[in-house]
């Protein structure tokens, strides 16, 4: 295809902006109940592009009307997912944390991880319910309600005393920030993903809910079953042995420290590369079909 005019900086910016929007749609739908809807809309979108390419006017007109209606319907049906996406954008610490995350003290992490694993294992064996939230890069203050400031060094004795059934703060969550328990007795947003929490109670719904809004990790101990579960990125998994908890925490801390060290600009080129390339490719195709072709006629 011969391009009848040079590609300007504005055209490149246009394609980049649409790529970001498409990638945002991917993030919105990829880990929610709307994933199947996205795949169906993608197929309809491909059909629309084919109809546009071959000038199938009736099909194009019908699909344009369909998209006008479906966009409004999606905003109504998936308003929770849309809100979560903008919350993730607003809570994101784009320039990384300072302090302990930057220090790269692996030994400190190992000590912290071992305390959490030992404590969670003991609480599970004793069938004492608990909810521990470990901060990632995202800021979570706006997602919390209630809670009592503590800012105490992480220790097995402190965590166990907080979750003692006779303690006033045992029903809430503790927030672990770097090497400190920053707050306890916190209330978290509950998950709305009923299919994922149908076998669990309120504590698990809260542990899962916070991870739907940010990149934190939740450790949930069930007082009924004495089982340890992990919630991350809007998914919840029941673990069957302490080794899995140990490996999960190591991976989490390694991921957070790695992202903090390389910064968000470098993470653009290291994370989720396939969906990013697909978003760019779709943007280029849309630009060719919608912008370039009408201009060349």
């Amino acid at each position: 295809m011969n391009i009848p005019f040079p590609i300007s900086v504005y055209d490149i910016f246009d394609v980049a902006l649409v790529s970001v929007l498409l990638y945002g749609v991917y993030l919105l739908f990829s880990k929610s109940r709307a994933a199947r809807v996205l795949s169906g809309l993608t197929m309809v979108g491909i059909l629309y592009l084919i109809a546009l390419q071959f000038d199938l006017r009736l099909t194009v007109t019908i699909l344009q009307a369909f998209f006008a209606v479906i966009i409004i319907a999606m905003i109504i049906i998936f308003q929770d997912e849309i809100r979560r996406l903008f919350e993730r954008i607003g809570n994101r610490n784009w320039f990384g944390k300072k302090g302990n995350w930057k220090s790269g003290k692996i030994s400190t992490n190992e000590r912290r991880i071992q305390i959490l694993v030992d404590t969670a294992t003991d609480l599970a064996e004793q069938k004492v319910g608990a909810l521990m939230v470990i901060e990632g890069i995202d800021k979570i203050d706006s997602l919390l309600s209630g809670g009592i400031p503590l800012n105490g060094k992480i220790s097995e004795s402190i965590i166990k005393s907080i979750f003692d059934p006779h303690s006033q703060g045992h029903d809430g969550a503790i927030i672990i920030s770097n090497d400190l328990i920053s707050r306890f007795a916190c209330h978290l947003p509950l998950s709305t993903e009923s299919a994922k929490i149908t076998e669990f109670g309120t504590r698990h719904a809260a542990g899962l809910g916070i991870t739907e809004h940010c990149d934190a990790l939740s450790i949930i101990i069930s007082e009924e079953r004495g089982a340890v579960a992990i919630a991350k990125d809007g998914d919840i998994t029941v673990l069957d042995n302490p080794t899995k908890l140990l490996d999960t925490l190591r991976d989490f801390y390694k991921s957070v420290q790695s992202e903090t060290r390389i910064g968000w600009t470098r993470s653009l080129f290291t994370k989720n590369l396939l969906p990013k390339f697909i978003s760019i490719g779709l943007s280029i195709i849309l630009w060719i079909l919608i912008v370039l072709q009408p201009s060349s006629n």
Side-chain angles (χ1 to χ4, degrees):
M1 176 184 296
N2 294 323
I3 300 178
F5 56 88
I7 297 175
S8 67
V9 174
Y10 295 105
D11 294 321
I12 297 174
F13 179 76
D14 192 15
V15 171
L17 183 58
V18 173
S19 300
V20 171
L21 292 175
L22 290 176
Y23 182 66
V25 171
Y26 162 78
L27 294 178
L28 171 65
F29 285 90
S30 61
K31 289 187 177 294
S32 73
R33 59 197 171 113
R36 294 181 181 177
V37 177
L38 177 62
S39 60
L41 287 176
T42 301
M43 297 301 296
V44 175
I46 293 173
L47 177 61
Y48 175 75
L49 292 177
I50 294 173
L52 198 65
Q53 174 70 21
F54 292 98
D55 197 24
L56 305 179
R57 298 180 184 179
L58 177 61
T59 304
V60 168
T61 302
I62 293 174
L63 290 180
Q64 285 176 342
F66 167 78
F67 283 123
V69 173
I70 201 64
I71 288 174
I72 298 174
M74 286 172 59
I75 292 174
I76 296 173
I77 296 172
F78 301 115
Q79 55 184 308
D80 289 339
E81 284 83 356
I82 295 172
R83 187 187 70 251
R84 288 175 198 161
L85 173 64
F86 286 107
E87 284 178 345
R88 287 295 296 269
I89 295 173
N91 289 329
R92 190 66 172 173
N93 189 347
W94 295 103
F95 299 100
K97 288 191 174 186
K98 298 186 181 296
N100 291 344
W101 290 122
K102 287 277 189 179
S103 65
K105 294 181 179 178
I106 302 302
S107 59
T108 302
N109 278 347
E110 284 297 322
R111 183 193 68 82
R112 186 185 315 162
I113 290 169
Q114 198 59 56
I115 289 173
L116 293 173
V117 171
D118 292 342
T119 306
T121 302
D122 288 349
L123 291 174
E125 289 177 352
Q126 299 166 15
K127 291 192 174 181
V128 175
L131 175 53
M132 296 175 267
V133 177
I134 306 173
E135 276 192 290
I137 296 294
D138 296 347
K139 298 173 288 185
I140 67 172
D141 290 347
S142 62
L143 302 173
L144 308 175
S145 60
I148 302 171
L150 178 60
N151 292 321
K153 197 94 169 170
I154 294 176
S155 73
E156 189 171 340
S157 59
I158 290 179
I159 297 176
K160 286 182 177 179
S161 65
I162 290 174
F163 290 113
D164 185 291
H166 299 97
S167 169
Q168 292 184 349
H170 79 281
D171 278 335
I174 66 171
I175 308 302
I176 298 173
S177 178
N178 293 328
D179 206 27
L180 300 176
I181 301 173
S182 59
R183 295 166 70 177
F184 69 97
C186 294
H187 298 289
L188 312 177
L190 299 180
S191 173
T192 57
E193 297 287 342
S194 57
K196 295 180 180 179
I197 57 175
T198 182
E199 300 178 1
F200 303 109
T202 304
R203 182 177 286 112
H204 290 78
L208 177 62
I210 188 73
T211 69
E212 294 172 350
H213 298 269
C214 64
D215 66 344
L217 180 145
S218 298
I219 304 174
I220 312 127
I221 294 97
S222 168
E223 57 188 341
E224 292 83 10
R225 289 177 282 187
V228 178
I230 285 288
K232 179 78 174 71
D233 293 330
D235 288 319
I236 187 167
T237 305
V238 178
L239 307 179
D240 52 19
N241 62 71
T243 302
K244 288 188 177 180
L245 177 58
L246 182 69
D247 293 340
T248 300
L249 289 174
R250 282 175 174 168
D251 290 342
F252 173 75
Y253 278 111
K254 181 179 179 181
S255 173
V256 172
Q257 281 195 317
S258 175
E259 185 170 345
T260 303
R261 282 198 300 269
I262 66 175
W264 71 272
T265 50
R266 285 182 59 188
S267 70
L268 290 176
F269 305 98
T270 57
K271 296 182 64 177
N272 291 335
L273 292 182
L274 181 58
K276 287 175 181 177
F277 282 128
I278 292 175
S279 299
I280 294 172
L282 287 175
S283 300
I284 293 173
I285 292 173
L286 288 172
W287 182 80
I288 292 173
L289 293 177
I290 297 174
V291 177
L292 183 60
Q293 283 198 345
S295 301
S296 61
N297 290 337

